[in-house]
Amino acid sequence: EDSASFSLSSQSLPEWITFTVATSLVLYLVSYTWFLPQGPHLGDAYLSSIQSITGPSPAPTIAGMLTFFAIVHSGLASLRTYSESIIGPRAHRVIFALLSLPLSLSALSYFVNHAHDGPAHWDLRDLPFVHPLIWSLNALSFLLLYPSTFNLLEISAVQPPKVHLWDTGVIRITRHPQAIGQVMWCLGHCMWTGTDTALAATGVLVAHHAFSVWNGDRRMEERHGSAFTSLKSRTSVVPFAAVLSGRQKLPTDYWKEWARPPYAIVVAGTIGAYLAHPWMMAGASLLGW
């Protein structure tokens, strides 16, 4: 399939209205039950449960939160084939989202609050090239999104979720762009902070995505069989390895596979996320974590 393709004619206004209403409702319910002061404070109970095992220090706490998230996230992904055969793809996606969202937001909020806690093993922030280098690493990491995430109607289960076999765009460079992007994001944040908290988060995230590379290939081969075997033979996990070895031939008009509306939105969102860092830090601090 052609990744990051976009056709305005295939978009449906009623589906986007459903997406807006459903997404707003889910985000409010997750916020109410997990974070908001007037809710049941499930997020506080979750944090206390993690720290009852890891202790109160930030580094083991973020490691524990990310480990639990990894187990739930990869576990549900591994059960997808069996789950969908019983409850259907839409119900599986809803359960996946309702469990993954609060766990990921909790880890992100805690990391934002404690990324600079603990001893710093290095401080490179005064070097003139470090900020541009880190900014570039993080910006590129957001471009390495798995192509399925571009169809928001599918992610939200407004349209039936599918397991796609992408063959163009970023897949020509790396078969697991999200894993590579996560490593780049971790490298950038570790260079900037150098703290125990950042190193602990990086260790778990990189390990989780290394597992996801193996697990993803296993699930895709189980789902698509020889079609995935063929794709695997002409792609690589390490960026550009298949291109350099001659197994992948980039077309002369390869740039057209990137010059698409979804990537323009990603670039705008990346710049917006960078500019919104002060508000992200302020919002995370309101949790009192």
Side-chain angles (χ1 to χ4, degrees):
E1 295 181 74
D2 187 16
S3 66
S5 59
F6 180 82
S7 172
L8 189 61
S9 61
S10 66
Q11 304 298 302
S12 165
L13 181 59
E15 286 183 330
W16 276 105
I17 293 174
T18 302
F19 165 80
T20 303
V21 173
T23 302
S24 300
L25 179 61
V26 167
L27 289 176
Y28 172 76
L29 290 175
V30 169
S31 299
Y32 174 78
T33 58
W34 209 258
F35 297 114
L36 294 182
Q38 62 269 33
H41 300 277
L42 295 184
D44 292 339
Y46 167 65
L47 178 61
S48 296
S49 297
I50 293 292
Q51 291 185 325
S52 69
I53 300 171
T54 64
S57 297
T61 297
I62 192 63
M65 295 175 81
L66 289 172
T67 298
F68 186 69
F69 168 77
I71 293 170
V72 172
H73 192 267
S74 290
L76 288 172
S78 297
L79 292 172
R80 180 173 182 172
T81 301
Y82 308 102
S83 175
E84 287 184 346
S85 67
I86 299 172
I87 62 176
R90 278 196 171 100
H92 174 84
R93 177 56 58 85
V94 170
I95 293 171
F96 184 85
L98 288 177
L99 291 176
S100 297
L101 269 175
L103 297 179
S104 60
L105 289 174
S106 293
L108 177 61
S109 300
Y110 189 87
F111 179 79
V112 169
N113 280 334
H114 297 278
H116 296 275
D117 289 358
H121 300 282
W122 54 79
D123 187 357
L124 308 176
R125 286 175 287 182
D126 291 334
L127 297 177
F129 66 89
V130 169
H131 184 271
L133 174 61
I134 292 173
W135 197 96
S136 300
L137 276 173
N138 283 284
L140 287 173
S141 75
F142 279 93
L143 285 176
L144 296 178
L145 293 169
Y146 191 69
S148 291
T149 58
F150 290 133
N151 189 353
L152 297 180
L153 296 178
E154 209 175 300
I155 290 175
S156 60
V158 173
Q159 293 180 354
K162 302 174 183 177
V163 180
H164 297 275
L165 190 63
W166 305 112
D167 195 28
T168 64
V170 68
I171 300 300
R172 297 184 188 274
I173 296 173
T174 171
R175 191 169 64 253
H176 289 279
Q178 190 177 52
I180 300 301
Q182 184 67 75
V183 172
M184 294 169 64
W185 184 93
C186 288
L187 177 61
H189 282 74
C190 276
M191 288 177 62
W192 188 249
T193 59
T195 62
D196 285 346
T197 304
L199 290 172
T202 291
V204 178
L205 284 170
V206 171
H208 178 205
H209 282 78
F211 170 79
S212 75
V213 167
W214 170 82
N215 196 36
D217 280 355
R218 179 189 64 82
R219 292 188 295 112
M220 291 296 281
E221 187 167 3
E222 181 181 85
R223 177 78 64 133
H224 293 287
S226 60
F228 174 73
T229 304
S230 175
L231 175 70
K232 187 177 180 180
S233 69
R234 60 181 182 273
T235 57
S236 61
V237 177
V238 177
F240 294 104
V243 176
L244 294 174
S245 67
R247 292 183 288 119
Q248 174 67 234
K249 303 291 185 182
L250 298 181
T252 54
D253 59 349
Y254 181 53
W255 65 271
K256 292 181 179 179
E257 296 180 8
W258 292 86
R260 290 173 165 173
Y263 284 115
I265 295 173
V266 170
V267 170
T270 301
I271 296 172
Y274 173 74
L275 297 175
H277 264 64
W279 287 275
M280 291 169 60
M281 296 172 69
S285 67
L286 293 176
L287 291 175
W289 286 5

